[in-house]
Amino acid sequence: MYPVITISREFGSGGHSIGKQVAKKLGVPFLDGEIVNQTAVESGYCKELIEEQGETATSANRWFDISAASTMYFQSPQDEIFLAQRKVILEAAKKGPCVIVGRCSDYILRRADIPCINVLIHSDMENRKVRILERYGDIKDVDVEKRIKKKDKQRRTYYRYYTDQHWGDYSNYDLSLDSGTLGEDVCVDMICELAERKSK
Amino acid sequence: MYPVITISREFGSGGHSIGKQVAKKLGVPFLDGEIVNQTAVESGYCKELIEEQGETATSANRWFDISAASTMYFQSPQDEIFLAQRKVILEAAKKGPCVIVGRCSDYILRRADIPCINVLIHSDMENRKVRILERYGDIKDVDVEKRIKKKDKQRRTYYRYYTDQHWGDYSNYDLSLDSGTLGEDVCVDMICELAERKSK
């Protein structure tokens, strides 16, 4: 049986697409939209809010945190979404092999001692800009870089807030791949081959 | 033709052994002692000093640096060794495929636009302690951890001093592998398979 595979990724590095192809090649579920749906059921919040808040931290976290510390135990909507999402991720991983993208899934599964392969996909700014331009089309060069940096910062802050660890620390991953120098296909093959090896 | 492979590694992660096996499997030179010999010829310093100074920075660097800034252009023995070693690495890489361990070789080859695969081997403290204990035998547990931390610090400082970059930043590597969770054999196979792919 294949292990669960988590994919952490820099924005624009193609991690989402690589994860999707890995899942297809191994014939296991690719968990992205399904996590949002299940988290909506679990938490009672609407899908749009979960999509927006499910992986990006805002200054609201800090506000709620201070509030909680100074008054009483209090969970922000984002905390509730994180906990519901965490439950959905753990339940999915316990069901069997799958590919999960982002959402602190590497940290969540490691802490729960669930056997998994934690992968990080990264790429340099130039390669990421090309990918984002292909994806979103009519957007100015300067705006692409801004968008990439903002999105990375949001994910880093979210990861830091909920795991108290530094996002992108290589020691959190079994395998880190540069999708820019290696190419998407090579990344897919290497992850699948590692999954094959681990399944024996 | 295989690309040149550079292996950066945490102390005790097995990176040296992995590099040696990769070179053997691909049938290409493994450059370690040979770099020391050639650097000795190039720089005029003795092998023992090169082995000691060729990858670890000491406070002497800073002293010489201040001295140079305040008086005139001045190279410390370690600077001279670095430059001679850099020349040896570049000449070796230009000759053809090989495996080079440490010595800022990833940075040196990238800056010279020489096609290469840059690999980072890492592992958690527990796995590294076991490996070091196997290698050096009769050494106290507390001393092993101290030795590992000291060696890592020296390598980081050396890398930082000569490249002005942060050692272990994942974006400097095409491939980063956890030898503790994956195992040495899997690391060797993955690097060799990537070299095969890149050679086509």
Side-chain angles (χ1 to χ4, degrees), chain B residues 152-166:
Chain B
D152 276 353
K153 194 176 175 181
Q154 286 174 328
R155 286 181 185 167
R156 267 201 307 272
T157 311
Y158 181 84
Y159 193 87
R160 178 86 208 179
Y161 185 79
Y162 286 109
T163 71
D164 203 20
Q165 291 189 14
H166 177 62

Side-chain angles (χ1 to χ4, degrees), chain A residues 14 17 19 104 114 152:
Chain A
S17 157
C104 306
I114 293 175
D152 276 352

Side-chain angles (χ1 to χ4, degrees), chain B residues 36-82:
Chain B
V36 175
N37 292 342
Q38 288 296 323
T39 304
V41 173
E42 188 67 41
S43 66
Y45 287 104
C46 70
K47 286 192 222 173
E48 289 70 22
L49 189 71
I50 292 163
E51 271 169 354
E52 190 192 297
Q53 299 274 306
E55 211 176 1
T56 54
T58 63
S59 56
N61 287 85
R62 275 185 290 278
W63 187 87
F64 280 116
D65 204 32
I66 293 161
S67 159
S70 60
T71 54
M72 54 183 287
Y73 181 67
F74 182 77
Q75 275 176 357
S76 71
Q78 197 174 29
D79 290 344
E80 288 179 346
I81 290 171
F82 174 79

Side-chain angles (χ1 to χ4, degrees), chain B residues 77-89:
Chain B
Q78 197 174 29
D79 290 344
E80 288 179 346
I81 290 171
F82 174 79
L83 291 171
Q85 194 164 261
R86 181 180 162 276
K87 198 178 164 197
V88 170
I89 288 171

